[in-house]
Amino acid sequence: MTMSEKEILEGLTKAVVAGDGEACIKYSHEVLKAGIDPYKALMEGCAKGMEEMSKRYDNGEAFVPEILLSADAMSQAIDILKPHIKVDKSKVPGKVVIGVMEGDVHDIGKNIVRILLEVAGYTVIDMGRDVPMNQFVETIRDEKPDIVALSALMTTSMMGMPELMDLLTQARLRADVSVIIGGGPVTTEFAEKIGADGYGANAPEAVRVCDKIMQAKRGVA
Amino acid sequence: MGFYWLKEMDPMARFNAIIRGEKIDRVPVFPFALGHCAHVMGYPVFGDFYSKPDVQVKCQMGARELYGWDQPTIAFNPGYYCADWGGEIEYPYRPKQGAISCKKAPVQTPEDLDKLEVPDPAKVPTMQKFLETAKLAISLKQTPLLIWIHGGWISSTARGVVQIDKFMLWFYKAPELVHKALDMTLEYGNRVMEYFVKEVGNDKWIPFDSCPIDSNVLVSPEFFGKFPLSRVIKLHQKGLELGLPMWFTHWCGEHKGNINAGHVDKVPMGKPGVVHFGSEVPLNVSVPRFGNRNIILGNVDTTSILLKSYEEVLALCRKNIEMGKDSPKGYMLASGCELPPRAPSMNVYAMVKAAREYGRY
């Protein structure tokens, strides 16, 4: 029995929410068999599932293991669908460079933000953890991202954030890149104090902040 | 008012009195200072503090004398419960680093876990330095000292032993591996306690543990109850059976879910124990819930201590003292997590000043 497009996309969404990799593989093959646009399947099937997981995390109904399980399942769908996707750059919301500040190896929060940004369609350059300041500056110069997302779990590494922003200013890069920050000790107050463009208290909020920034940028343009 | 505090109790006498339930002159101050002790002692980076027993003890004694706070010496494991298992650690010799870190956990795959054996503390090189720290502190009459004991928690397992993101996925994909790894770190925690009791006795130290990765930002109360809780209970029972006086537990981060689920109540702490929640759990929650059985610590948030003005920090400390001062088994003014190593000295002093001004009994 052939499934309708709606059934296939809903199946993908449910498979991601359930963290069911096998179901993700099955529905991804159905996408290709039915001739559904794989980009549409990714955004309206998989990404919708991750959005649901974000909501559940916000509401305290899902935690890191559940988010990682969904992301792991989704990655199996992506492996099948991605080779068939022709990237339409106009559909990409923006480019983000993300990393954990120098001296800090705590990257689980950053990894979840990266996953959620990717499923929201962003092009993400993940610089990893314990990233030296000059490496951030060089990457921002080379990649020209719309946004740089900085994470810190320790107060010592958090204090690298204003320092990096100064370096971006000195390198004449700050005007062209929005800076958002997050992590355990980081607060809205701190973000305002150092002149960051946004603060995400958690991963879903970080994505919403990026969306807002990109909407504002597009509005200006 | 003059230097009235020169007539105060000695900090170590005050700490000893509060844990024994004896009368004290004012609220003790436990700033949870580690790297900051090295900072005020003139160390530009913290590698020596975390790797050299004499530096660790000297800096903590010096900082206590400088500020007049009441935090006893804490003996920190130079192996970070990671090198102990064959993992890779990095001491903070770079200026941007605030603490020791685990660079690579020894377990990346189920096969790695299969091959792993619970270490014998007597044969772990970094454990010898750990013991040296404790012995040095005891020889300098820094008793009771706090000794970091870690086992059975997710925090003792999914960082130093198993790669954290793998561990988080195992909760669903291979729960038997989670149980196995938690049992192994519990066993190691027990062995370390036995080792210290054998070497330095059971009356000069208090086991200290903390659990950031068990917080409800990361894992659900359901999973905390299902996986680590029974091990944490066993670890704490073992410590008390060994004759250790109490447990000092820092419930790092957001643990309201674990509190509401009744998990925290189940962990034996001694009579009393010391309970220190992160600033996410304010004193108006922790004092009524746990104050009848435990000494309560808290709860000035670390970012405020780092960034706010002296006056603002003083006011925050006053507010906390007013909430905690009359907690039935005692209260210590503390920061919500480790004191930012490079916090302004006057803001740190504000904690002591507030205790002197607003915390008199």
Side-chain angles (χ1 to χ4, degrees):
Chain A
M1 199 179 100
T2 42
M3 283 188 272
S4 69
E5 179 175 314
K6 190 171 173 250
E7 282 172 324
I8 294 170
L9 296 184
E10 279 178 2
L12 262 180
T13 303
K14 282 180 188 164
V16 168
V17 170
D20 185 341
E22 283 180 21
C24 278
I25 292 170
K26 178 187 134 192
Y27 283 107
S28 299
H29 286 304
E30 290 294 337
V31 166
L32 300 179
K33 208 163 89 185
I36 300 167
D37 175 6
Y39 183 78
K40 186 178 181 184
L42 199 61
M43 299 312 291
E44 293 178 25
C46 297
K48 210 168 157 191
M50 284 309 290
E51 270 171 36
E52 172 60 25
M53 292 308 291
S54 291
K55 274 184 210 157
R56 291 185 186 188
Y57 182 84
D58 265 351
N59 297 333
E61 296 161 4
F63 298 84
V64 170
E66 289 79 19
I67 298 272
L68 291 178
L69 189 73
S70 289
D72 188 61
M74 186 183 65
S75 71
Q76 299 185 55
I78 291 173
D79 285 347
I80 295 166
L81 298 173
K82 209 172 178 179
H84 301 275
I85 293 174
K86 290 175 189 124
V87 180
D88 176 354
K89 285 195 175 169
S90 67
K91 285 184 182 171
V92 176
K95 191 186 212 181
V96 181
V97 163
I98 191 168
V100 179
M101 300 307 297
E102 188 172 356
D104 200 330
V105 296
H106 303 90
D107 62 355
I108 195 131
K110 180 270 296 174
N111 290 344
I112 292 173
V113 174
R114 185 203 66 218
I115 290 165
L116 296 186
L117 283 170
E118 281 174 348
V119 297
Y122 284 87
T123 302
V124 183
I125 297 156
D126 185 353
M127 301 194 61
R129 58 189 194 173
D130 193 6
V131 182
M133 297 280 175
N134 59 353
Q135 211 170 306
F136 266 122
V137 174
E138 282 163 23
T139 305
I140 291 163
R141 179 183 289 123
D142 296 345
E143 296 288 343
K144 300 181 177 48
D146 301 290
I147 297 166
V148 57
L150 307 173
S151 172
L153 189 77
M154 304 174 78
T155 50
T156 37
S157 51
M158 177 180 85
M159 296 314 288
M161 291 170 170
E163 198 182 323
L164 177 60
M165 287 167 65
D166 285 345
L167 289 174
L168 292 175
T169 304
Q170 285 165 26
R172 297 176 189 276
L173 295 167
R174 179 68 182 93
D176 298 322
V177 67
S178 299
V179 178
I180 73 161
I181 61 175
V186 180
T187 59
T188 315
E189 213 176 346
F190 179 68
E192 283 168 6
K193 187 173 176 175
I194 68 170
D197 301 294
Y199 159 69
N202 55 43
E205 198 182 319
V207 179
R208 288 194 289 273
V209 170
C210 287
D211 288 344
K212 258 190 197 165
I213 287 171
M214 292 313 298
Q215 280 161 15
K217 284 194 176 192
R218 298 251 150 82
V220 170
Chain B
M1 292 173 79
F3 294 93
Y4 61 88
W5 57 83
L6 292 175
K7 293 176 191 161
E8 281 191 336
M9 288 175 86
D10 171 76
M12 285 308 293
R14 188 180 294 113
F15 183 81
N16 270 286
I18 192 171
I19 62 169
R20 288 182 190 139
E22 294 165 4
K23 204 176 165 196
I24 49 175
D25 55 350
R26 65 154 169 86
V27 163
V29 177
F30 190 109
F32 203 172
L34 292 168
H36 185 75
C37 301
H39 174 64
V40 296
M41 290 290 282
Y43 287 83
V45 291
F46 308 129
D48 284 355
F49 179 81
Y50 282 97
S51 63
K52 295 180 179 170
D54 59 329
V55 176
Q56 202 172 109
V57 173
K58 177 183 77 177
C59 289
Q60 292 187 72
M61 288 177 67
R64 188 192 313 128
E65 185 176 338
L66 173 70
Y67 286 110
W69 67 40
D70 308 281
Q71 175 183 311
T73 301
I74 303 173
F76 201 82
N77 178 0
Y80 202 44
Y81 288 97
C82 172
D84 309 48
W85 296 81
E88 197 182 320
I89 56 170
E90 184 181 359
Y91 290 116
Y93 280 107
R94 290 182 282 140
K96 300 284 180 209
Q97 292 174 302
I100 189 171
S101 60
C102 174
K103 285 194 87 176
K104 192 177 179 195
V107 174
Q108 304 285 324
T109 65
E111 293 73 33
D112 292 339
L113 186 64
D114 270 347
K115 286 182 215 150
L116 197 69
E117 284 182 14
V118 180
D120 173 356
K123 294 177 181 162
V124 171
T126 46
M127 190 57 59
Q128 304 316 305
K129 283 188 173 182
F130 192 11
L131 181 63
E132 200 185 314
T133 308
K135 283 185 171 172
L136 177 61
I138 290 167
S139 74
L140 294 168
K141 304 195 187 315
Q142 299 295 297
T143 55
L145 77 153
L146 304 186
I147 294 182
W148 185 32
I149 299 295
H150 226 5
W153 298 91
I154 300 171
S155 308
S156 357
T157 313
R159 176 176 61 184
V161 183
V162 184
Q163 176 73 26
I164 187 167
D165 50 353
K166 304 270 168 55
F167 192 83
M168 292 283 173
L169 275 174
W170 285 356
F171 277 117
Y172 282 98
K173 293 192 158 191
E176 70 284 0
L177 297 180
V178 173
H179 287 298
K180 184 178 177 181
L182 289 170
D183 278 340
M184 290 176 82
T185 61
L186 164 64
E187 176 58 25
Y188 188 56
N190 285 339
R191 287 185 187 182
V192 173
M193 273 191 294
E194 285 169 343
Y195 181 63
F196 272 90
V197 168
K198 182 172 154 263
E199 292 290 333
V200 301
N202 61 5
D203 58 343
K204 296 179 184 68
W205 61 282
I206 296 169
F208 161 83
D209 56 1
S210 72
C211 48
I213 308 174
D214 297 74
S215 78
N216 303 130
V217 171
L218 296 169
V219 294
S220 64
E222 185 195 340
F223 271 24
F224 181 77
K226 190 173 167 186
F227 291 97
L229 179 60
S230 63
R231 278 90 177 182
V232 174
I233 291 170
K234 283 180 190 165
L235 181 86
H236 280 222
Q237 275 168 345
K238 173 79 177 179
L240 297 172
E241 283 164 17
L242 285 168
L244 296 167
M246 58 173 58
W247 276 87
F248 186 124
T249 300
H250 172 46
W251 293 84
C252 186
E254 170 62 275
H255 281 278
K256 286 198 200 92
N258 290 335
I259 293 172
N260 294 337
H263 298 329
V264 179
D265 297 286
K266 291 177 185 159
V267 178
M269 296 298 297
K271 294 176 182 174
V274 183
V275 171
H276 178 207
F277 286 102
S279 46
E280 295 84 350
V281 180
L283 290 171
N284 58 14
V285 173
S286 57
V287 168
R289 181 72 182 251
F290 302 101
N292 281 323
R293 285 167 290 137
N294 296 286
I295 297 163
I296 302 295
L297 263 69
N299 213 347
V300 187
D301 75 276
T302 53
T303 308
S304 293
I305 297 173
L306 180 66
L307 299 173
K308 290 192 172 169
S309 68
Y310 167 77
E311 290 76 14
E312 287 172 307
V313 176
L314 192 67
L316 274 173
C317 293
R318 179 180 187 171
K319 193 176 154 197
N320 275 278
I321 288 169
E322 285 166 356
M323 283 197 282
K325 191 180 171 210
D326 297 319
S327 188
K329 293 289 179 190
Y331 163 72
M332 289 187 246
L333 177 68
S335 55
C337 197
E338 188 198 337
L339 186 70
R342 294 185 179 88
S345 290
M346 276 309 282
N347 287 3
V348 180
Y349 173 66
M351 299 180 80
V352 178
K353 175 82 171 173
R356 287 172 176 156
E357 294 287 329
Y358 312 115
R360 295 256 159 219
Y361 288 107

